[in-house]
Amino acid sequence: MRALSNSLSSISLPALALAITLSAGPASSQTTHGAATDRTTAASERPRDDLAGKLVRRVIQRAPSSIPSREIVQVETEIPPGVESGWHVHPGEEVGYIIAGKVEMQVQGRPTVILQAGDGFLIPPRTPHNARDLGPETGRMLSTYLVEQGEPIATFVHQHADKAAH
């Protein structure tokens, strides 16, 4: 928390006000589970999120990036024990942090790793990956995406041979 407050002190007041305005806090945040929709953007602007049918995902905030044609989306994801995300890609970088649980992370072209609360991970743009909660508790992760505007946040891809190599 100290690192967060130190980093907030270097943010300009207008930028902080914009971030708070665009932020979807607990009362107005969007949870996607099954057919739930993203209430943080207008229906015509809503990017599809293929993972929303398998996992519980809550958009914490979404805002335009300083990089043209990119947006920043921050999502908290819950993965029940034994459930996996399925092989998928994002149209940009994913910077993630395991909040709770034990998650097996498979990223195409990399060795499989086991991540636990406090571990971070980085996934390059459009790189197929899969996350599986190893239990016994529900896995929770916080991911920040720097993605192309208007693209689906997550898109399923066919299972990869790398999965058999773990």
Side-chain angles (χ1 to χ4, degrees):
M1 198 62 156
R2 178 175 287 148
L4 177 60
S5 63
N6 287 344
S7 66
L8 287 177
S9 66
S10 66
I11 297 175
S12 71
L13 189 54
L16 183 57
L18 177 62
I20 290 170
T21 302
L22 293 174
S23 173
S28 63
S29 65
Q30 171 258 335
T31 300
T32 56
H33 183 60
T37 59
D38 181 346
R39 290 183 285 272
T40 62
T41 58
S44 62
E45 300 171 13
R46 232 178 261 149
R48 185 181 80 244
D49 181 351
D50 284 349
L51 295 185
K54 296 191 79 162
L55 311 171
V56 176
R57 292 167 54 84
R58 182 172 67 94
V59 174
I60 295 170
Q61 58 185 335
R62 166 181 264 130
S65 170
S66 61
I67 300 169
S69 75
R70 296 282 180 159
E71 68 178 329
I72 301 168
V73 183
Q74 195 167 50
V75 175
E76 179 182 17
T77 302
E78 293 183 12
I79 308 174
V83 172
E84 62 183 79
S85 62
W87 285 91
H88 64 282
V89 297
H90 305 287
E93 290 83 357
E94 177 179 5
V95 180
Y97 177 80
I98 304 298
I99 298 168
K102 190 175 185 179
V103 177
E104 176 186 70
M105 183 69 69
Q106 300 171 292
V107 178
Q108 184 178 25
R110 296 184 187 170
T112 297
V113 294
I114 306 300
L115 303 171
Q116 299 186 51
D119 290 339
F121 59 93
L122 299 169
I123 300 175
R126 301 191 187 285
T127 301
H129 58 286
N130 181 53
R132 180 171 61 105
D133 183 69
L134 300 176
E137 67 180 300
T138 296
R140 289 180 44 230
M141 64 181 71
L142 178 66
S143 293
T144 302
Y145 305 97
L146 180 60
V147 294
E148 298 169 21
Q149 287 179 332
E151 291 290 317
I153 299 300
T155 304
F156 285 122
V157 295
H158 290 84
Q159 186 173 353
H160 290 269
D162 288 358
K163 183 170 183 177
H166 77 104

